[in-house]
Amino acid sequence: MIHSTLLGILAAVLSVFVAILIEGASLRSFFHLPAMLLIVGGTLGATFASYSISQVTKAVRDTRFALSRKKERDLKLVFFRFWEKARKDGLLSLEDEAKKLDNPFLQKGIQLIVDGSDPRTIEEILWEAHEEEEKNDMKSAKVFETAAGFSPTVGIIGTVLGLVTVLENLDGGTKVLGQGIATAFIATFYGISFANLILLPISNQLKVVAKRESNERQAIMRGILSLQSGENRRILAERIDPFVKY
């Protein structure tokens, strides 16, 4: 199934094309390779100038993750399994379970329990790791938000360049003058469209995913501390529930 963000972007772009056709304009007149190259190249250049290469590449990776159909992990079932094993074989038996986990944050928490760390230390270590991951996740959204800010501005630059060219050729006649002005404004059209129909929706989706991941890590922290303190199954579920209902 197609992701809602991709579906929304596709619907937005198609609506623009449909509107152009209804107005009776030619789609060919809205395709201008130099303007497109200016918007894409200028926006990418300004974004790379604002962030490190590693931050931009991470933002791209995070986008692929955000737009992929990931099977949701039922944390309550995971912790219920840990609770049963700890109740039967003790907390040290969770070490083997930790090695099978594909979630580094959860793995870290289980390992801290196995190592015999006190609850305050575990909470501090996990909270610091959580804050760092949350900051990195939000930075990926900020990269696309920044690019969305540059795109319309680069479009205006393209329009100014186009108008300068038009003014230099005023003797070409009314028809040529009109075509030149129309072409000049295509750059602004591209800049605004890329920002609002593509870049900002991706940024917003990354924020949604960052919030979901943040809630998951907080649920893990509560579950880890509940496991260590030996609380019963119902209390364990009560501690996790507020963070998994999103």
Side-chain angles (χ1 to χ4, degrees), residues 215 219 237-246:
N215 285 344
E238 289 289 339
R239 292 195 184 278
I240 293 176
D241 269 344
F243 300 100
V244 295
K245 293 177 179 178
Y246 51 85

Side-chain angles (χ1 to χ4, degrees), residues 106 143 184 229:
L106 179 54
V143 169
S229 63

